[in-house]
Amino acid sequence: MLKLYSFGPGANSLKPMLALYEKGSEFEQVLLNPAKFEHHSDWFKKINPRGQVPALEDRGKIITESTVICEYLEDEHPTDVKLRPGNSYDTAQMRVWTKWVDEYFCWCVSTIGWHRMVSKMVQDLTDEQFEAKLKDIPVYEQQVKWRRAREGFPQDLLDEEMRKIGYSVRRLDDHLADHEWLAGGVYSLADICNFAIANGMQHGFSELVNTSDTPHLVRWIEQINERPAVKKMFASVPHELRKDD
Amino acid sequence: MLKLYSFGPGANSLKPMLALYEKGSEFEQVLLNPAKFEHHSDWFKKINPRGQVPALEDRGKIITESTVICEYLEDEHPTDVKLRPGNSYDTAQMRVWTKWVDEYFCWCVSTIGWHRMVSKMVQDLTDEQFEAKLKDIPVYEQQVKWRRAREGFPQDLLDEEMRKIGYSVRRLDDHLADHEWLAGGVYSLADICNFAIANGMQHGFSELVNTSDTPHLVRWIEQINERPAVKKMFASVPHELRKDD
């Protein structure tokens, strides 16, 4: 059976998880606890040497990178539910949107998320404990990000990331003003991958995402939250394990 | 007929161009001159509002983003030459590599390229001329990059980009040490998209890419240069138009 390693239905982990729920595919759920740094543990680095979730196991083979996993599921495990549009042109538009999430939208939101959450996660550690944790992180840029989160991100970086978030949500809102879905007139991986980052911003970034400034984006977020597969996923899986879980 | 707008066979423009040559697909070649800022001209921004090459025109529709165009060509214009591996797992590995070029490898190489070339391209302009050019650039981050190229990139940024380039070429070399091609044992879009960035580094970055430090990478670059489609492409299309072309 398929096995999905993830942090739960948020951010990049949400993408393949929601794809699996939408497709109605059976899979084994393996939740890692980020507060316990489980993704940097030796057992998980045997699965993904980069120490990152999500990762999918399929008959002994491991597929990594959230967007790549989503396309893999469509290629290898097709069901009646199609998460790519029906023609090549619309599929290309879908890929422009999934690429944009991965290269732009997710990064600015992620920095602010780290500023708010990861910084707190590591503040109880002594310097020695923190340095020991860093040694387990295989990707150099991730080490730098953890260090910055502990020291505090520079204000000019935070300001720039907030500018990018503002630009991103306006871009989504503009497009959704006259499109029900992001690509090809159908609910697709473009929506799933953007929803993974945008969902919850109506609370966490309410100064930017709200019914006055980005009504179409809010409509789309609510519309996706009403889907049976989404409701089932959120009802079945904890959003993210905490330190004492 | 297909029409490809590009700067010629280098960097991102090379990706779909080489894919078309490998596939043996007929297409109309439209070369834009970067030294004349043709990609920021009104006529081209009607084709791609982001003012970026490459862009593909197919029966009146425009497809943008080099990697997306490559996958589109495989989806919509299949020929006997397959540029994706024959199974889903290997295709996923191919996508991990094309994603890595787009998110990591191309950016560090690009900054050093801009430092060496674009900086010279804009130094003859007066401040007024330069500011007028900037106004034509639709993507804010690109405006910032042009401004930095003119002012000079900070040395710590250049050092960090060189560190990333060193890491990147070692990563490619390690993988190519025991793999003829990057994904699935066949020449694929993974090779084409990485070659687009790596080709020429044995000259421009010879302190990092050479037969002592990265023998497998050099072998792979040379092997691709020996392919009939690659030879034909380089013989037929100028690498990049210059100011007086």
Side-chain angles (χ1 to χ4, degrees):
Chain A
M1 206 203 306
L2 292 170
K3 194 188 275 192
L4 183 68
Y5 298 87
S6 84
F7 285 156
N12 287 330
S13 287
L14 184 147
K15 299 179 191 172
M17 191 184 295
L18 181 50
L20 286 161
Y21 270 91
E22 291 284 1
K23 293 165 73 66
S25 308
E26 274 195 54
F27 69 103
E28 187 182 338
Q29 189 81 262
V30 184
L31 294 182
L32 284 83
N33 189 333
K36 292 181 181 166
F37 307 91
E38 280 189 292
H39 49 315
H40 302 149
S41 62
D42 289 339
W43 73 265
F44 185 68
K45 282 188 284 189
K46 280 184 195 140
I47 291 161
N48 182 3
R50 291 177 66 82
Q52 291 174 325
V53 290
L56 182 78
E57 192 174 322
D58 187 5
R59 288 157 288 175
K61 294 203 169 187
I62 303 293
I63 300 98
T64 59
E65 300 288 348
S66 55
T67 307
V68 174
I69 298 171
C70 288
E71 292 244 24
Y72 173 83
L73 290 169
E74 289 301 289
D75 288 342
E76 185 66 15
H77 298 280
T79 61
D80 289 345
V81 177
K82 305 293 173 211
L83 297 175
R84 285 189 294 220
N87 67 68
S88 312
Y89 174 77
D90 290 332
T91 298
Q93 303 318 301
M94 177 200 89
R95 289 188 177 130
V96 170
W97 279 109
T98 58
K99 191 171 150 70
W100 178 73
V101 188
D102 290 354
E103 294 178 16
Y104 193 92
F105 185 34
C106 88
W107 289 105
C108 45
V109 177
S110 155
T111 304
I112 304 297
W114 277 57
H115 169 63
R116 293 178 182 172
M117 306 220 275
V118 177
S119 301
K120 289 199 188 85
M121 229 164 85
V122 290
Q123 70 190 11
D124 295 343
L125 301 175
T126 64
D127 285 351
E128 290 68 31
Q129 285 171 326
F130 181 71
E131 292 300 325
K133 296 277 182 217
L134 274 195
K135 284 205 187 91
D136 292 334
I137 302 175
V139 177
Y140 173 80
E141 282 79 9
Q142 288 296 104
Q143 290 187 4
V144 172
K145 200 165 174 184
W146 279 89
R147 202 179 284 284
R148 278 194 158 172
R150 183 168 163 93
E151 289 166 355
F153 290 96
Q155 190 58 46
D156 59 347
L157 177 68
L158 296 174
D159 292 346
E160 170 62 5
E161 299 295 52
M162 285 301 285
R163 184 196 65 73
K164 287 186 177 179
I165 294 173
Y167 166 79
S168 298
V169 298
R170 282 192 303 277
R171 185 175 185 219
L172 285 165
D173 192 66
D174 285 349
H175 189 81
L176 292 165
D178 50 9
H179 297 84
E180 183 177 10
W181 303 112
L182 288 173
V186 294
Y187 177 73
S188 76
L189 296 179
D191 301 289
I192 288 176
C193 292
N194 276 277
F195 175 76
I197 307 302
N199 187 44
M201 292 183 75
Q202 68 278 29
H203 309 301
F205 294 84
S206 59
E207 71 281 24
L208 293 171
V209 179
N210 55 61
T211 49
S212 309
D213 295 313
T214 57
H216 312 292
L217 175 57
V218 172
R219 180 270 302 161
W220 171 86
I221 290 173
E222 288 174 351
Q223 198 171 338
I224 296 178
N225 270 295
E226 285 304 312
R227 296 179 65 85
V230 178
K231 285 186 169 179
K232 188 176 172 193
M233 175 184 70
F234 284 130
S236 317
V237 196
H239 179 76
E240 199 170 280
L241 300 174
R242 300 299 171 98
K243 213 169 173 180
D244 44 358
D245 285 330
Chain B
M1 206 204 304
L2 292 169
K3 194 189 274 193
L4 183 69
Y5 299 87
S6 84
F7 286 156
N12 287 329
S13 287
L14 184 146
K15 298 179 192 172
M17 191 183 295
L18 181 50
L20 286 161
Y21 271 90
E22 291 284 1
K23 292 165 74 67
S25 308
E26 274 195 54
F27 69 103
E28 187 183 338
Q29 188 83 261
V30 185
L31 294 182
L32 283 82
N33 189 331
K36 292 181 180 165
F37 307 89
E38 280 188 292
H39 49 315
H40 301 148
S41 62
D42 289 339
W43 74 264
F44 184 68
K45 281 188 285 189
K46 281 184 195 139
I47 291 162
N48 182 5
R50 290 177 67 83
Q52 292 174 327
V53 290
L56 182 78
E57 192 173 321
D58 187 6
R59 288 158 288 174
K61 294 204 168 186
I62 304 293
I63 300 97
T64 60
E65 300 287 349
S66 55
T67 307
V68 174
I69 298 171
C70 289
E71 293 245 24
Y72 173 84
L73 289 169
E74 289 302 288
D75 288 341
E76 185 67 15
H77 298 280
T79 61
D80 288 345
V81 178
K82 305 293 174 211
L83 296 175
R84 284 189 294 220
N87 67 67
S88 312
Y89 174 76
D90 290 332
T91 298
Q93 303 317 302
M94 177 201 90
R95 289 188 177 129
V96 170
W97 280 109
T98 59
K99 191 170 151 69
W100 178 73
V101 188
D102 290 354
E103 294 178 16
Y104 193 93
F105 185 34
C106 87
W107 289 105
C108 46
V109 177
S110 156
T111 303
I112 303 298
W114 277 57
H115 168 63
R116 293 178 181 172
M117 307 220 273
V118 176
S119 301
K120 290 201 187 85
M121 230 164 84
V122 291
Q123 69 190 13
D124 295 342
L125 301 175
T126 66
D127 284 351
E128 289 68 29
Q129 286 170 326
F130 180 71
E131 293 300 324
K133 296 276 184 218
L134 274 196
K135 283 205 188 91
D136 292 333
I137 302 175
V139 177
Y140 173 81
E141 282 79 9
Q142 289 296 105
Q143 290 188 4
V144 172
K145 199 165 173 183
W146 279 89
R147 201 179 286 283
R148 279 194 159 171
R150 183 168 164 93
E151 289 166 356
F153 290 95
Q155 190 57 46
D156 59 348
L157 177 68
L158 296 175
D159 293 344
E160 171 62 5
E161 299 294 51
M162 285 302 285
R163 183 196 65 75
K164 287 185 177 180
I165 294 173
Y167 166 78
S168 298
V169 298
R170 282 192 303 278
R171 185 175 186 219
L172 285 165
D173 191 66
D174 285 349
H175 189 81
L176 292 165
D178 49 10
H179 297 84
E180 183 177 10
W181 304 111
L182 287 173
V186 294
Y187 177 74
S188 76
L189 296 179
D191 302 289
I192 289 177
C193 292
N194 276 277
F195 175 76
I197 306 303
N199 187 43
M201 291 183 75
Q202 68 277 31
H203 310 301
F205 294 83
S206 59
E207 71 281 26
L208 294 171
V209 179
N210 55 62
T211 50
S212 309
D213 296 312
T214 57
H216 313 293
L217 175 56
V218 172
R219 179 271 302 161
W220 171 86
I221 291 173
E222 287 174 352
Q223 198 171 338
I224 297 178
N225 270 295
E226 285 304 312
R227 295 179 66 85
V230 177
K231 286 186 170 178
K232 189 176 171 193
M233 175 183 71
F234 283 131
S236 315
V237 197
H239 178 76
E240 196 169 282
L241 300 174
R242 299 299 171 98
K243 214 169 172 179
D244 43 0
D245 285 328

